[in-house]
Amino acid sequence: MKTANKTVTATQLVKDALTKAKHFADYNIFTYLNEEGALKRAAEIDAKIARGEEVGKLAGVPFAMKDNFLSPEGETTASAHILEGFTSPITATAIEKLEKEGAIMIGRTNMDAFAHGSSTENSYFGPTLNSHDRERVSGGSSGGSAVAVALDIVEFATGTDTGGSIRQPASFNGVYGLKPTYGTISRYGVVAMASSTDCVGFFTKTPDDMNLLMEVASGQDPKDLTTLPDYYNESEAKKVKKIGIIKDFDNDSVDLEIRQALKDKCEALKASGHEIVELEMPALKYALAAYYIIVPAEIASNLSRYDGVRYGFRSEDSANLEALYPNTRSEGFMPENKRRIMIGNFVLSSGFYDAYFLKAAKARTLIVNEYLEAFSKCDAILTPVAPNPAFKLGEKVDDPVSMYLEDVMSVPLNLAGVPGLTIPAGKTKAGLPIGLQLVGPRRSDKSLIEFSKELA
Ligand code: GLN
């Protein structure tokens, strides 16, 4: 990562990033550019460098921030109409930690509204275009962040991953994307989607940059009681020798070129002395169904706070409370947000709770146990991230089930809380990036990042 020093100033780094951001404006990457704020911070860092003061590990490094991280710069909208006009008085802990080391936020990136989606087409601001093919989706929900890194506007970007929202757009754009172990990075000040699976993570161009960001951002936060003690900085990377392959993922619903890329990697690993282990993980077939019950249930609860009183948008037709709530929510949420609220409230309602939510919770336990067993046989698992490379804009957006099927290989990790790292693995004949996903046991994030260097 290029940091500022006496010859390359933070101001220059920030100016370059802003120029590139404007150059690629038609990709619809940013919902807000933090020009004035970023240049002010850069000037402060340059002044410190001139005085010979300590400036931190990320001095002057411009970064892009997904629009669901709270900070006073610009409006935090989570790319949803219902949050338009909301400016946060607080800054997310993860962002505070990056800024303490000198990183500079140059803009907020586009996303599926409230992170519901796999293409960034559910954004109130319209889709972000894919970095390699402008007729295709950027992936989602963190599409803007992935494209900002892929087009080299910034060295890194923040994202959130509830069911694949970092890993899938990373794979669609040919960059690294990490969903850490659940609880590694504080979620304080991040717009909640599903509290039992939400994770903060990053997009980078190299494994070393990922490691550096993890060193900075990991650790316990008294403001987020789900955070783990700082295992990341207190542990060494372990050698990955045995790699598991999931037999069921090698089927006709997965793109042939992706399956070939996985086979090629396995051959290369064998040639370099690694052992490949075939795994049976039969409970994973329940993961998508369980995810689309548990996550909407948590979404319905988390989104109940948007009532037109406390945050952002309020319907003009709000003469009394009976009008204010439904009108604000009807006009402010995107169709996909509403679908999830409906499903969530349905599966939690009395009479259906046992049949849906409780069943899904039990399936989740099976999945957790299946990963535990798998990691008694191998050190890491290598799988595709999604069944296909980036698809065409408009191809799936009107068919929710086909959009949900995008997540079939990414959501099991979130249900189990285990880490997953997207690594670039070449391109299709048509020139679209292919990504593969390295999965490890809880708290193995550092080992995965280290091992990904061997796969580069
Ligand atoms: N695509 C998945 C969903 O729509 C994951 C989203 C996410 O990780 N935020 O739920």
PDB file of all heavy atoms in Angstrom, residues 115-118 141 161-165 193 291-292 340 407, ligand 1:
ATOM      1  N   ALA A 115     -28.270  -3.506   2.054  1.00  0.00           N
ATOM      2  CA  ALA A 115     -27.424  -4.687   1.777  1.00  0.00           C
ATOM      3  C   ALA A 115     -28.234  -5.918   1.394  1.00  0.00           C
ATOM      4  O   ALA A 115     -27.743  -7.029   1.475  1.00  0.00           O
ATOM      5  CB  ALA A 115     -26.470  -4.989   2.950  1.00  0.00           C
ATOM      6  N   HIS A 116     -29.477  -5.707   0.954  1.00  0.00           N
ATOM      7  CA  HIS A 116     -30.313  -6.827   0.531  1.00  0.00           C
ATOM      8  C   HIS A 116     -30.134  -7.028  -0.968  1.00  0.00           C
ATOM      9  O   HIS A 116     -30.736  -6.302  -1.773  1.00  0.00           O
ATOM     10  CB  HIS A 116     -31.794  -6.564   0.796  1.00  0.00           C
ATOM     11  CG  HIS A 116     -32.112  -6.209   2.214  1.00  0.00           C
ATOM     12  ND1 HIS A 116     -33.341  -5.745   2.607  1.00  0.00           N
ATOM     13  CD2 HIS A 116     -31.347  -6.273   3.335  1.00  0.00           C
ATOM     14  CE1 HIS A 116     -33.332  -5.526   3.915  1.00  0.00           C
ATOM     15  NE2 HIS A 116     -32.133  -5.833   4.373  1.00  0.00           N
ATOM     16  N   GLY A 117     -29.313  -8.004  -1.353  1.00  0.00           N
ATOM     17  CA  GLY A 117     -29.168  -8.262  -2.777  1.00  0.00           C
ATOM     18  C   GLY A 117     -27.801  -8.784  -3.142  1.00  0.00           C
ATOM     19  O   GLY A 117     -26.898  -8.867  -2.307  1.00  0.00           O
ATOM     20  N   SER A 118     -27.651  -9.160  -4.411  1.00  0.00           N
ATOM     21  CA  SER A 118     -26.406  -9.754  -4.898  1.00  0.00           C
ATOM     22  C   SER A 118     -25.966  -9.103  -6.203  1.00  0.00           C
ATOM     23  O   SER A 118     -25.231  -9.707  -6.979  1.00  0.00           O
ATOM     24  CB  SER A 118     -26.605 -11.254  -5.141  1.00  0.00           C
ATOM     25  OG  SER A 118     -27.286 -11.842  -4.061  1.00  0.00           O
ATOM     26  N   SER A 141     -23.952  -7.285  -2.015  1.00  0.00           N
ATOM     27  CA  SER A 141     -24.453  -5.934  -2.023  1.00  0.00           C
ATOM     28  C   SER A 141     -23.380  -4.850  -2.061  1.00  0.00           C
ATOM     29  O   SER A 141     -23.689  -3.704  -2.380  1.00  0.00           O
ATOM     30  CB  SER A 141     -25.317  -5.719  -0.778  1.00  0.00           C
ATOM     31  OG  SER A 141     -24.527  -5.813   0.394  1.00  0.00           O
ATOM     32  N   ASP A 161     -20.580  -8.163   5.033  1.00  0.00           N
ATOM     33  CA  ASP A 161     -20.917  -9.462   4.449  1.00  0.00           C
ATOM     34  C   ASP A 161     -21.844 -10.193   5.411  1.00  0.00           C
ATOM     35  O   ASP A 161     -21.431 -10.604   6.499  1.00  0.00           O
ATOM     36  CB  ASP A 161     -19.616 -10.253   4.212  1.00  0.00           C
ATOM     37  CG  ASP A 161     -19.811 -11.501   3.364  1.00  0.00           C
ATOM     38  OD1 ASP A 161     -20.750 -12.264   3.658  1.00  0.00           O
ATOM     39  OD2 ASP A 161     -19.010 -11.731   2.432  1.00  0.00           O
ATOM     40  N   THR A 162     -23.094 -10.316   4.993  1.00  0.00           N
ATOM     41  CA  THR A 162     -24.122 -10.985   5.795  1.00  0.00           C
ATOM     42  C   THR A 162     -24.406 -12.362   5.222  1.00  0.00           C
ATOM     43  O   THR A 162     -24.819 -13.272   5.926  1.00  0.00           O
ATOM     44  CB  THR A 162     -25.400 -10.110   5.795  1.00  0.00           C
ATOM     45  OG1 THR A 162     -25.073  -8.839   6.323  1.00  0.00           O
ATOM     46  CG2 THR A 162     -26.539 -10.727   6.580  1.00  0.00           C
ATOM     47  N   GLY A 163     -24.163 -12.472   3.882  1.00  0.00           N
ATOM     48  CA  GLY A 163     -24.392 -13.749   3.209  1.00  0.00           C
ATOM     49  C   GLY A 163     -23.566 -13.870   1.937  1.00  0.00           C
ATOM     50  O   GLY A 163     -23.847 -14.708   1.089  1.00  0.00           O
ATOM     51  N   GLY A 164     -22.573 -12.981   1.791  1.00  0.00           N
ATOM     52  CA  GLY A 164     -21.718 -13.038   0.594  1.00  0.00           C
ATOM     53  C   GLY A 164     -21.380 -11.678   0.016  1.00  0.00           C
ATOM     54  O   GLY A 164     -20.661 -11.578  -0.988  1.00  0.00           O
ATOM     55  N   SER A 165     -21.861 -10.618   0.648  1.00  0.00           N
ATOM     56  CA  SER A 165     -21.780  -9.279   0.049  1.00  0.00           C
ATOM     57  C   SER A 165     -20.380  -8.696  -0.116  1.00  0.00           C
ATOM     58  O   SER A 165     -20.226  -7.667  -0.769  1.00  0.00           O
ATOM     59  CB  SER A 165     -22.616  -8.301   0.854  1.00  0.00           C
ATOM     60  OG  SER A 165     -23.959  -8.457   0.515  1.00  0.00           O
ATOM     61  N   MET A 193     -28.152  -5.355   9.301  1.00  0.00           N
ATOM     62  CA  MET A 193     -29.003  -6.151   8.417  1.00  0.00           C
ATOM     63  C   MET A 193     -29.491  -7.359   9.220  1.00  0.00           C
ATOM     64  O   MET A 193     -30.613  -7.362   9.705  1.00  0.00           O
ATOM     65  CB  MET A 193     -28.220  -6.579   7.172  1.00  0.00           C
ATOM     66  CG  MET A 193     -29.035  -7.447   6.229  1.00  0.00           C
ATOM     67  SD  MET A 193     -28.131  -7.790   4.703  1.00  0.00           S
ATOM     68  CE  MET A 193     -29.079  -9.145   4.040  1.00  0.00           C
ATOM     69  N   TYR A 291     -30.948 -19.759   5.553  1.00  0.00           N
ATOM     70  CA  TYR A 291     -30.521 -18.348   5.511  1.00  0.00           C
ATOM     71  C   TYR A 291     -31.703 -17.437   5.186  1.00  0.00           C
ATOM     72  O   TYR A 291     -31.901 -16.410   5.837  1.00  0.00           O
ATOM     73  CB  TYR A 291     -29.418 -18.192   4.458  1.00  0.00           C
ATOM     74  CG  TYR A 291     -28.977 -16.767   4.221  1.00  0.00           C
ATOM     75  CD1 TYR A 291     -27.946 -16.196   4.966  1.00  0.00           C
ATOM     76  CD2 TYR A 291     -29.577 -15.975   3.240  1.00  0.00           C
ATOM     77  CE1 TYR A 291     -27.533 -14.881   4.738  1.00  0.00           C
ATOM     78  CE2 TYR A 291     -29.179 -14.679   3.003  1.00  0.00           C
ATOM     79  CZ  TYR A 291     -28.157 -14.131   3.749  1.00  0.00           C
ATOM     80  OH  TYR A 291     -27.752 -12.831   3.522  1.00  0.00           O
ATOM     81  N   TYR A 292     -32.492 -17.821   4.171  1.00  0.00           N
ATOM     82  CA  TYR A 292     -33.596 -16.944   3.755  1.00  0.00           C
ATOM     83  C   TYR A 292     -34.822 -17.046   4.666  1.00  0.00           C
ATOM     84  O   TYR A 292     -35.885 -16.537   4.352  1.00  0.00           O
ATOM     85  CB  TYR A 292     -33.915 -17.141   2.267  1.00  0.00           C
ATOM     86  CG  TYR A 292     -32.981 -16.263   1.430  1.00  0.00           C
ATOM     87  CD1 TYR A 292     -31.852 -16.793   0.810  1.00  0.00           C
ATOM     88  CD2 TYR A 292     -33.190 -14.886   1.351  1.00  0.00           C
ATOM     89  CE1 TYR A 292     -30.969 -15.972   0.103  1.00  0.00           C
ATOM     90  CE2 TYR A 292     -32.325 -14.064   0.644  1.00  0.00           C
ATOM     91  CZ  TYR A 292     -31.225 -14.610   0.016  1.00  0.00           C
ATOM     92  OH  TYR A 292     -30.361 -13.782  -0.669  1.00  0.00           O
ATOM     93  N   ARG A 340     -38.467  -8.842   2.294  1.00  0.00           N
ATOM     94  CA  ARG A 340     -37.809  -9.482   3.449  1.00  0.00           C
ATOM     95  C   ARG A 340     -38.540  -9.189   4.752  1.00  0.00           C
ATOM     96  O   ARG A 340     -38.611 -10.040   5.636  1.00  0.00           O
ATOM     97  CB  ARG A 340     -36.351  -9.045   3.513  1.00  0.00           C
ATOM     98  CG  ARG A 340     -35.640  -9.555   2.264  1.00  0.00           C
ATOM     99  CD  ARG A 340     -34.165  -9.425   2.342  1.00  0.00           C
ATOM    100  NE  ARG A 340     -33.594  -9.798   1.059  1.00  0.00           N
ATOM    101  CZ  ARG A 340     -32.393 -10.302   0.894  1.00  0.00           C
ATOM    102  NH1 ARG A 340     -31.622 -10.494   1.926  1.00  0.00           N
ATOM    103  NH2 ARG A 340     -31.957 -10.596  -0.305  1.00  0.00           N
ATOM    104  N   ASP A 407     -26.452 -16.952  -3.949  1.00  0.00           N
ATOM    105  CA  ASP A 407     -25.801 -16.977  -2.634  1.00  0.00           C
ATOM    106  C   ASP A 407     -25.588 -18.386  -2.095  1.00  0.00           C
ATOM    107  O   ASP A 407     -25.177 -18.557  -0.951  1.00  0.00           O
ATOM    108  CB  ASP A 407     -26.656 -16.194  -1.626  1.00  0.00           C
ATOM    109  CG  ASP A 407     -26.995 -14.798  -2.114  1.00  0.00           C
ATOM    110  OD1 ASP A 407     -26.190 -14.239  -2.872  1.00  0.00           O
ATOM    111  OD2 ASP A 407     -28.057 -14.280  -1.744  1.00  0.00           O
TER     112      ASP A 407
HETATM  113  N1  GLN B   1     -26.929 -11.606  -1.265  1.00  0.00           N
HETATM  114  C1  GLN B   1     -27.218 -11.915   0.097  1.00  0.00           C
HETATM  115  C2  GLN B   1     -28.559 -11.373   0.486  1.00  0.00           C
HETATM  116  O1  GLN B   1     -29.170 -10.755  -0.322  1.00  0.00           O
HETATM  117  C3  GLN B   1     -26.141 -11.399   0.996  1.00  0.00           C
HETATM  118  C4  GLN B   1     -26.257  -9.961   1.269  1.00  0.00           C
HETATM  119  C5  GLN B   1     -25.184  -9.489   2.218  1.00  0.00           C
HETATM  120  O2  GLN B   1     -24.222 -10.204   2.485  1.00  0.00           O
HETATM  121  N2  GLN B   1     -25.402  -8.305   2.744  1.00  0.00           N
HETATM  122  O3  GLN B   1     -28.992 -11.552   1.578  1.00  0.00           O
END
